Each structure stands twice: as C-alpha cells, then as structure tokens.
Amino acid sequence: MGNSIRNRTGFTLVELLVVIAIIGVLVGLLLPAVQSAREAARRMQCSNNLKQIGLAIHNYENANKRIPPGAVWNGGTVDITVGRFVGPINERGSSLAFILPYLEQQALYDQFDFALPINHARFPANVFGGMFLKGARVAAYICPSDLNDPISPGVNQIQPSNYTFNMGPSSALSNNGNCSCPLYSTFQRFNIANTPQTTPAGPFTRQGWAYTGKFGDVSDGLSNTIFFGEIRADSSNHARQGWCHSNKWGIFTQIPINFDSSEPDVPTALAKGKTACNARCTWNTEVGFKSRHTGGAQVVMGDGSVHFLSQTIDMVMYQNLGGKSDGQTASVTQ
C-alpha cells in the first residue's frame, strides 16, 4: 500500500487567538457608537414627551382660557373664578394631573376627584388593588434615559415624573433649615424682586389657588419662555412625592442646570466631602432642571418647541428664558 497524505484544514491556536483579538477590537470600537445611537433615540423620545406636554398645555388653555396651575398646594379659600376647586384649596394636584385628558389619558383623569385632596387618593379596590393614583405610570411622563422606577413598589407605590413646570427666577426660592445650602445667597442674586409663589416670575406656581396664568401674561413671548423641563427623582425630595402630588415646587432657574443634588441626605453628602447643597433635601439645588443626558437638559417653550439647554448656559440668559414678563427677552435655537 502506498503512503497517503491527508491535508489538514482549520485554525491553529495562534490564529484563533488573533481572530478573537480582532473581534474584541471591533466590538470595542462599535460599542460606543451603538450606545450613542441608543441614547440619541432615548433623547428623541424624551423630546417627544415634552412636545406632547407642550401641546397638551395649549389644548388645556384653549378649553379653559387659562394654562393649568403648576400645582395646587396648601392655603387659600374658595376661588369662584376656578370652578373645579371647592372648599379650602389644599392638595388638589399638579399640572400633570390636569392635562391628562389632552394626553389620551381620560380614563386615568376620571379617577381623580379634584373637589377633594388627592395626594393620597387611590384607585378602587378592584383596580390595581387600590393602588395610589400617584403610583400610576404614565409613559409620556417618563424619560427613557432615566427609567425612574416606582418608589415603594406595590399598592403604596409612588411614581415620579421626569418633567415639571417652570417658576422662573422667583423670589420664593427658600432655604430648608434642616438641609441648609450655603450657596443660597449666590442663587438669590438672580431673583426677580417681589415674585413670591402667588405672583411667580415664570408661567407656573404650586399655589394654583392664587394664580393660574394666561398666555397673555407671557409678554416676553411664548417662544422665549420655558414652560416645562426635565427633572430627576433621585435628586429631589419634592419630585419623589409623585407625578400628581400637590406639593411640587416646580423649577427655579436660579439653580444651574444639572447641579448635583443626588445625595440622599446631609450626612451622606458631608461624608463624601460635599455640602447640603448636594443633598436632595435642599429647597435650593433640588429645584433645578436636571437630566441624565450628557451636558444639559431639555425644555419645552410656551410655543411648544423643544430645546436642549447646555448646563453651561449663561446664567443671565437662563433667567431671561425663565421669566415670562421681565422685558429681557432671550431666544434659544436648536
């Protein structure tokens, strides 16, 4: 028998390692691009949410001849000019509750009785087990870049939102004695004088029993005035109370965009070499626009246009965009 020669095919170990290394390099190069594309898609959805909120405010104003209250917190008596509210005007919800019918959420809106305090209102026992109304998750109120999971999941859960209203550079900005921010006086420099909660510098206030605005109040122009923008529940105790909760401060533009207030309490902040300004209990830095988008946050203007504001925006210009009628107009481009 003659000798037979067999040809061997396949990879050697060295060749296999080279291929694996090449694949690893390619994955390393492609992964940031994939992540960037995904974030761009999430940011676009977030922008669309704000657009829908802006349109809902316009539809609300068209039906009611006023824009919705930012919130209706404590204080006040019967207000005969606003037919929905009767009795002492306490805890009657937030603007995100009032605009539900204009976001195709009529069924959820119908669960509320705005003649009564709503902060602890619940679904019927046979609906979601009688869960808090403020535990409902409304997709239009969640930025996909911030999953914003419910707090205390279950029938007592609270669902924060990633969006809230603008109070502008109002003098109502205050300091929490138990979480006092040493930068308070720095932020106060940007206040517009004599603009308490009942007469806010921006289009909204949480004291909706005293003030609900009209488009005509925005003399600086709807396209030049911030109405709503992004927030983070992990950086604000007020935001953590839920999307329809009445005690919503809103946003003060004196606070720089994306100022870090993510520490859960003052001791934790101090242990990390920070101050109370970095804790979410402060009534200062927690009430600034914040997002998980790199470099800034998105806002919707009074005309319904959505813009990304850089966290390095000039603070004077920022106040001009926050105020509705200060006579100092500023414009923002995409």
Side-chain angles (χ1 to χ4, degrees), residues 125-200:
N126 62 341
V127 180
F128 303 127
M131 182 179 70
F132 279 137
L133 293 179
K134 62 186 178 184
R137 188 175 178 91
V138 180
Y141 295 161
I142 305 296
C143 173
S145 292
D146 183 356
L147 295 179
N148 217 344
D149 293 329
I151 298 168
S152 302
V155 295
N156 293 324
Q157 78 178 29
I158 298 171
Q159 177 61 66
S161 168
N162 287 117
Y163 312 107
T164 199
F165 56 89
N166 169 42
M167 288 186 66
S170 296
S171 58
L173 185 70
S174 60
N175 221 349
N176 182 352
N178 296 318
C179 191
S180 182
C181 174
L183 292 175
Y184 172 62
S185 59
T186 299
F187 302 139
Q188 286 282 32
R189 291 184 302 130
F190 296 107
N191 289 348
I192 296 177
N194 301 317
T195 50
Q197 293 186 57
T198 51
T199 55

Side-chain angles (χ1 to χ4, degrees), residues 9-196:
T9 59
F11 291 109
T12 66
L13 178 59
V14 172
E15 290 171 330
L16 182 60
L17 292 174
V18 169
V19 170
I20 292 174
I22 292 172
I23 292 174
V25 171
L26 291 175
V27 170
L29 292 173
L30 289 174
L31 189 57
V34 171
Q35 291 174 332
S36 178
R38 287 178 175 173
E39 170 54 21
R42 290 191 291 263
R43 179 170 149 179
M44 184 177 297
Q45 179 59 52
C46 182
S47 173
N48 184 63
N49 289 347
L50 281 166
K51 181 73 172 180
Q52 295 305 310
I53 290 172
L55 291 175
I57 291 171
H58 272 258
N59 289 330
Y60 180 102
E61 192 276 342
N62 185 58
N64 296 277
K65 309 309 175 188
R66 287 181 176 274
I67 63 176
V72 184
W73 180 222
N74 63 323
T77 56
V78 173
D79 186 346
I80 61 174
T81 66
V82 186
R84 278 187 308 281
F85 307 137
V86 295
I89 311 301
N90 294 327
E91 299 183 15
R92 304 305 168 90
S94 74
S95 49
L96 294 180
F98 301 133
I99 65 174
L100 284 172
Y102 308 98
L103 289 167
E104 300 183 352
Q105 292 287 340
Q106 184 70 48
L108 178 56
Y109 179 83
D110 289 342
Q111 298 295 321
F112 290 90
D113 182 355
F114 292 105
L116 299 171
I118 71 162
N119 286 352
H120 298 94
R122 293 180 178 273
F123 287 97
N126 62 341
V127 180
F128 303 127
M131 182 179 70
F132 279 137
L133 293 179
K134 62 186 178 184
R137 188 175 178 91
V138 180
Y141 295 161
I142 305 296
C143 173
S145 292
D146 183 356
L147 295 179
N148 217 344
D149 293 329
I151 298 168
S152 302
V155 295
N156 293 324
Q157 78 178 29
I158 298 171
Q159 177 61 66
S161 168
N162 287 117
Y163 312 107
T164 199
F165 56 89
N166 169 42
M167 288 186 66
S170 296
S171 58
L173 185 70
S174 60
N175 221 349
N176 182 352
N178 296 318
C179 191
S180 182
C181 174
L183 292 175
Y184 172 62
S185 59
T186 299
F187 302 139
Q188 286 282 32
R189 291 184 302 130
F190 296 107
N191 289 348
I192 296 177
N194 301 317
T195 50

Side-chain angles (χ1 to χ4, degrees), residues 151-324:
I151 298 168
S152 302
V155 295
N156 293 324
Q157 78 178 29
I158 298 171
Q159 177 61 66
S161 168
N162 287 117
Y163 312 107
T164 199
F165 56 89
N166 169 42
M167 288 186 66
S170 296
S171 58
L173 185 70
S174 60
N175 221 349
N176 182 352
N178 296 318
C179 191
S180 182
C181 174
L183 292 175
Y184 172 62
S185 59
T186 299
F187 302 139
Q188 286 282 32
R189 291 184 302 130
F190 296 107
N191 289 348
I192 296 177
N194 301 317
T195 50
Q197 293 186 57
T198 51
T199 55
F204 297 93
T205 175
R206 70 172 178 173
Q207 299 291 29
W209 57 267
Y211 174 80
T212 53
K214 301 178 181 179
F215 282 156
D217 296 339
V218 188
S219 59
D220 288 349
L222 294 177
S223 62
N224 303 321
T225 306
I226 299 168
F227 267 51
F228 258 71
E230 292 187 80
I231 56 171
R232 286 175 51 181
D234 64 353
S235 300
S236 169
N237 277 352
H238 279 88
R240 291 173 65 82
Q241 295 180 100
W243 61 273
C244 62
H245 198 278
S246 311
N247 186 12
K248 296 183 76 65
W249 250 127
I251 292 301
F252 292 76
T253 48
Q254 298 102 303
I255 310 304
I257 296 172
N258 284 344
F259 192 105
D260 175 22
S261 59
S262 61
E263 300 301 337
D265 49 48
V266 175
T268 303
L270 296 178
K272 294 181 178 180
K274 301 180 180 180
T275 72
C277 296
N278 301 112
R280 64 189 184 209
C281 54
T282 173
W283 295 343
N284 283 252
T285 54
E286 66 150 328
V287 293
F289 286 126
K290 306 177 195 296
S291 83
R292 289 195 179 275
H293 309 305
T294 302
Q298 297 189 106
V299 299
V300 61
M301 313 301 282
D303 65 349
S305 61
V306 178
H307 301 274
F308 184 82
L309 298 185
S310 170
Q311 62 195 40
T312 61
I313 187 173
D314 176 79
M315 287 299 289
V316 174
M317 177 182 178
Y318 189 30
Q319 309 320 306
N320 294 341
L321 292 171
K324 66 180 183 295

